[in-house]
Amino acid sequence: MDETSACEASVLLARHWREGTVLDALPEPLRPASRAEGYAIQAHLGALSAAPIRGWKIAATSTAGQRHIGVDGPLAGRLLAEMVHADGATLPFGANRMRVAEAEFAFRMGRSLPPRDAPYAVAEVLDAVSALHLAIEVPDSRYRDFASVGAAQLIADNACAHQFVLGPEAPALWRGLDLAAHRVIGHVAGRLTREGVGANVLGDPRNALTWLANELSAHGETLRAGQVVTTGTCLVPLEVAPGDEVAADFGPLGRTRLRFSDG
């Protein structure tokens, strides 16, 4: 896939996002045949966005997440600055078709990790982290049947990145906790409570962060200081609808919440 085709595919997907419409698949001439081509399409989102990217998301870090979008491993996507909201925000529900919210650990980087030949180790990546935040991701896709199009097209569609609530910074005690065993509770007010643990995120959210650093490195991208990485859902995604209030309780680390508009 050449740069012109990658750009055309990105512009087409961005138009469907703006208009709240869906497509069955990218047209054959613009369809990525590999993860690398999917990332090449995704890379054009920066130029189409109103601001520099705020960070990165990881899709499908849990078995439930993989099953939800029909893949067998994680995918990386960009967190667009205009789609990042503060704790307690009211989000437009709009044309969201996935209709789920996900409770996630999000790491803020204090030092950049540039591409290199040797893989980054967990300890090395954690040493570059400046803070842990509590977060809720609200994914979506522009494919009519997002579970059937495959990893390359999902990556092109920004790995289902949509809206994101960056909650409060966790107290420094997080560094001494076993995040794999840490319990997280998700609530949709008045009708749903669901529990999970950090181990649902590639065995440990810190493993997921390291996977992201190495995935970006392999594709020539730098994980930059100041960027946020949200590592994937700790629990089976919470089904949501217009007007819902959603909260994620991380116990001693704190709590974050959002509300959806009524329409």
Side-chain angles (χ1 to χ4, degrees), residues 194-235:
R194 196 168 280 159
E195 295 187 17
V197 293
N200 290 329
V201 184
L202 284 184
D204 189 310
R206 293 166 291 202
N207 293 343
L209 176 65
T210 305
W211 176 88
L212 187 279
N214 286 316
E215 181 79 345
L216 296 186
S217 178
H219 292 279
E221 293 278 359
T222 295
L223 178 53
R224 299 189 183 281
Q227 290 184 338
V228 171
V229 178
T230 193
T231 52
T233 184
C234 298
L235 42 85

Side-chain angles (χ1 to χ4, degrees), residues 27-91:
E28 197 66 53
L30 306 181
R31 192 174 303 170
S34 65
R35 292 172 67 97
E37 290 188 353
Y39 283 124
I41 293 170
Q42 187 192 118
H44 287 276
L45 282 173
L48 299 173
S49 177
I53 68 166
R54 185 66 188 275
W56 301 85
K57 65 154 288 182
I58 314 173
T61 51
S62 69
T63 302
Q66 291 168 13
R67 186 165 52 245
H68 187 59
I69 62 174
V71 296
D72 59 5
L75 318 171
R78 287 160 164 80
L79 292 176
L80 303 181
E82 59 265 39
M83 303 302 282
V84 177
H85 306 270
D87 184 39
T90 297
L91 277 57

Side-chain angles (χ1 to χ4, degrees), residues 105-110 122-134 168-182 204-207 209 229 231 250-254:
F105 291 98
F107 296 92
R108 179 158 43 87
M109 305 306 296
V122 174
E124 187 177 9
V125 173
L126 283 176
D127 188 57
V129 170
S130 62
L132 174 70
H133 287 258
L134 317 177
E169 182 177 331
L173 62 85
W174 73 266
R175 289 191 182 269
L177 296 179
D178 180 0
L179 294 185
H182 194 82
D204 189 310
R206 293 166 291 202
N207 293 343
L209 176 65
V229 178
T231 52
F250 292 77
L253 297 180

